[in-house]
Amino acid sequence: MAHEYVEIEGISVPTGHFIGGEHVSSVETFETRSPMQWDWKLADIARGTKETANQAVTAAVDAFPVWSRYTVQDRATCLQHLADLIDENKDDIATVECLDMAMLLESLKLRLIPRAALNFRNYANIIIDAEERAWSSKGTLNRIIRMPAGPAVIITPWNAPFMLSTWKVAPALASGNTVILKPAEWSPLSTAKLTEFINEAGFPSGAFNIVQGFGSDLGAALVSDPRVKRVSFTGSPETARKIGHAAAENIVPFTAELGGKGPLIVFEDCDLDAAAKKAAGQFDDSGQVCLAGTRLLVQTGVMGDFLKLFHAYTDQHVMGDSRDAATTMAALIHPLHIEKVAAFVERARANGDKIIRGGKVHKEGRLWYEPTLIQPKSNNSEIVQNEIFGPVLTIQDFETEEEAIALANSTKYGLSGIIYTSSAERAERVGRAVRSGIVWINCFLIRDLSAPFGGIGESGIGREGGDYALDFHADLKTLQIYEGSVT
Ligand code: ADP
């Protein structure tokens, strides 16, 4: 079927899949709407089927012998070129994602889309600099070779869709694997924009495919195709279980970055103003951030002062149109999502947890939810134990460091943690004791792309970032070479 575009605010966005270097339509489509104004339909997007999955995997299988034999330098050149094209088109990509997901426009332009370009640029450098590990032992030379593994399926979530996709796609392509990316059905448009740049960046046909549609049919068909050699997923633990089963069925390595319920621990020796500001900052993006520190754990002696500062900073939040520079809290992505967030708070209320502030939809019929702080009746309350993914924080106090660590480690998640303290010794002790993939000390969201990234427990399995993602995407081989003279 013909290649189609939709025009959104003067920006053209492809509405089809991108398979084997070409845009491809589907008979069925699905709608995408703007969270800022739910009656604003943005586009009808191709809804892929099992057949689409089959076509995309076939394209990736066919392209693998070509792409995997590109020299590292040539692969890096394509990645660099794609990064340049993202940079050149950053404003359009940002606007489209802002309309589709309600992510703040300024933060997209300044932070997230440039970061997406950096993901490709960074992996161009990493793959060029990657060294084979080699050492001598027992009279032999051990050389560790990374072999490209084959087609990789990458399934991504609706939050920060462009940046999160590139974070996973860049190492896969750098490794010499071909890619089939399926973005989430609630925010497909910015990734659709990416399909415009792949050929121009110089990738051979089929090296990088993007398909649009739902997880239950298209996604499930992709991850269960036995020709797929890697599955990389970001999303919910429920979906991870299903995808993990499919990967296990085919005995294929699988990595999953899932939810979080990060502690933000405030010790009385810290810069309280900075801690309170950062705590109120957890409402940015309306809490639709898996790394957020959503459980505030505050040492008893400073609880009163902390709360005063926290309320003052929270009062400064502005709920509004994400295109306005003054807005700090975006609309939630979907009516079903705000319903889910509201239901969490209602259950907390019914459970006897204390709603300290917020606890309601900002304006009936719209998708903004007020910044909400809840003091749970007990640490077992659902509001403390389960990820909400909205602007809802809990607050609990603690007396001792041991208590803080016990509370921090008391959920099934382990993605991130934040600690505010002025003591280097305490930072070291507590930083080591908190069980999560990353712990920020006196800061938040700063991350070097070469560091490992991933979760513990229900926050995920496997690590990506830097060399860790190269190892995931490769079939590692040992070349064992006899160093003596062969007689
Ligand atoms: P979220 O809580 O972010 O909506 P999901 O896990 O439901 O998390 O979705 C994340 C991604 O997983 C989306 O792209 C979605 O389409 C996809 N997905 C959902 N179910 C499946 C499945 N059974 N197989 C493959 N992908 C799926």
Side-chain angles (χ1 to χ4, degrees):
M1 239 176 275
H3 165 198
E4 286 163 16
Y5 279 99
V6 65
E7 195 86 357
I8 304 172
E9 301 283 276
I11 302 166
S12 70
V13 182
T15 56
H17 317 288
F18 186 75
I19 300 175
E22 286 177 15
H23 284 94
V24 181
S25 295
S26 274
V27 178
E28 275 190 65
T29 57
F30 64 98
E31 283 181 2
T32 176
R33 295 176 171 272
S34 180
M36 295 187 281
Q37 206 182 307
W38 196 246
D39 56 4
W40 183 7
K41 181 171 133 181
L42 297 170
D44 287 310
I45 297 288
R47 179 173 175 176
T49 58
K50 275 188 187 166
E51 184 42 42
T52 316
N54 182 45
Q55 252 182 296
V57 176
T58 302
V61 167
D62 291 348
F64 180 66
V66 180
W67 177 242
S68 59
R69 285 188 203 125
Y70 266 46
T71 63
V72 162
Q73 187 61 55
D74 286 346
R75 270 185 241 154
T77 302
C78 293
L79 294 177
Q80 293 278 14
H81 199 173
L82 189 55
D84 293 342
L85 289 164
I86 291 171
D87 274 337
E88 282 164 31
N89 291 276
K90 130 178 110 56
D91 288 358
D92 282 358
I93 300 167
T95 301
V96 165
E97 183 159 310
C98 170
L99 294 173
D100 200 23
M101 200 237 136
M103 197 106 197
L104 302 182
L105 185 59
E106 195 145 294
S107 138
L108 282 163
K109 281 187 184 171
L110 296 179
R111 204 166 55 84
L112 286 158
I113 309 300
R115 181 82 166 187
L118 192 63
N119 283 333
F120 286 110
R121 208 159 268 131
N122 199 47
Y123 268 101
N125 295 334
I126 288 179
I127 198 71
I128 285 175
D129 293 345
E131 283 175 3
E132 273 179 10
R133 278 162 266 179
W135 68 96
S136 290
S137 67
K138 301 185 179 179
T140 61
L141 176 65
N142 306 267
R143 282 179 53 203
I144 311 305
I145 311 282
R146 288 192 182 105
M147 297 187 294
V153 162
I154 296 175
I155 307 265
T156 50
W158 50 257
N159 61 313
F162 194 85
M163 200 286 288
L164 282 183
S165 301
T166 60
W167 159 246
K168 293 171 104 65
V169 167
L173 289 171
S175 301
N177 291 346
T178 50
V179 165
I180 307 117
L181 166 67
K182 193 202 85 63
E185 52 271 40
W186 279 1
S187 53
L189 295 184
S190 48
T191 318
K193 204 65 198 138
L194 188 58
T195 62
E196 291 185 320
F197 316 129
I198 295 170
N199 286 343
E200 197 182 337
F203 290 95
S205 303
F208 181 10
N209 309 276
I210 298 180
V211 288
Q212 301 280 13
F214 287 64
S216 50
D217 45 14
L218 175 66
L222 286 172
V223 299
S224 54
D225 191 311
R227 296 171 295 170
V228 166
K229 298 302 174 206
R230 289 294 181 277
V231 177
S232 173
F233 169 71
T234 303
S236 62
E238 296 70 37
T239 305
R241 286 192 177 88
K242 291 184 200 158
I243 296 182
H245 274 130
E249 204 56 51
N250 293 329
I251 317 194
V252 163
F254 158 62
T255 177
E257 293 163 25
L258 311 174
K261 194 77 189 175
L264 190 161
I265 312 175
V266 180
F267 285 101
E268 55 195 9
D269 62 10
C270 80
D271 176 339
L272 205 58
D273 187 70
K277 188 172 183 188
K278 203 56 86 183
Q282 304 305 308
F283 292 127
D284 291 355
D285 298 317
S286 285
Q288 300 173 114
V289 180
C290 53
L291 291 164
T294 49
R295 291 182 296 135
L296 310 183
L297 308 176
V298 182
Q299 203 156 17
T300 316
V302 290
M303 180 59 102
D305 290 341
F306 173 83
L307 271 175
K308 266 187 227 143
L309 290 164
F310 173 81
H311 284 308
Y313 280 118
T314 301
D315 289 342
Q316 291 175 15
H317 273 296
V318 178
M319 284 173 271
D321 190 308
S322 296
R323 288 168 289 183
D324 294 345
T327 301
T328 62
M329 285 182 68
L332 298 187
I333 177 113
H334 197 282
L336 289 176
H337 188 53
I338 197 164
E339 247 176 54
K340 186 180 141 195
V341 170
F344 262 111
V345 176
E346 287 323 306
R347 286 197 298 275
R349 221 187 288 273
N351 181 52
D353 301 327
K354 185 174 165 198
I355 315 290
I356 296 180
R357 69 177 293 157
K360 59 181 195 313
V361 172
H362 183 53
K363 274 191 195 140
E364 246 353 280
R366 307 299 301 275
L367 299 186
W368 284 264
Y369 197 86
E370 295 206 338
T372 298
L373 185 67
I374 300 181
Q375 187 183 11
K377 200 167 79 178
S378 97
N379 191 49
N380 295 328
S381 292
E382 182 202 31
I383 206 80
V384 180
Q385 292 297 325
N386 285 341
E387 185 184 46
I388 301 163
F389 223 64
V392 180
L393 307 179
T394 58
I395 188 156
Q396 296 165 274
D397 62 355
F398 66 86
E399 299 274 353
T400 64
E401 204 174 288
E402 291 67 35
E403 245 184 276
I405 294 167
L407 283 171
N409 292 340
S410 68
T411 73
K412 60 193 172 198
Y413 302 102
L415 191 60
S416 63
I418 307 169
I419 300 169
Y420 272 83
T421 177
S422 61
S423 155
E425 293 77 24
R426 170 172 274 160
E428 177 72 19
R429 278 193 307 271
V430 183
R432 282 179 176 275
V434 169
R435 288 192 54 74
S436 61
I438 186 163
V439 175
W440 282 286
I441 299 180
N442 296 324
C443 62
F444 178 52
L445 279 191
I446 299 168
R447 225 181 68 69
D448 189 290
L449 293 172
S450 295
F453 181 81
I456 293 172
E458 288 209 12
S459 288
I461 177 167
R463 291 291 178 273
E464 294 194 43
D467 282 354
Y468 304 91
L470 294 189
D471 282 348
F472 170 73
H473 280 287
D475 283 327
L476 292 181
K477 169 163 61 189
T478 304
L479 278 185
Q480 195 93 34
I481 305 162
Y482 184 56
E483 289 186 307
S485 53
V486 183
T487 51

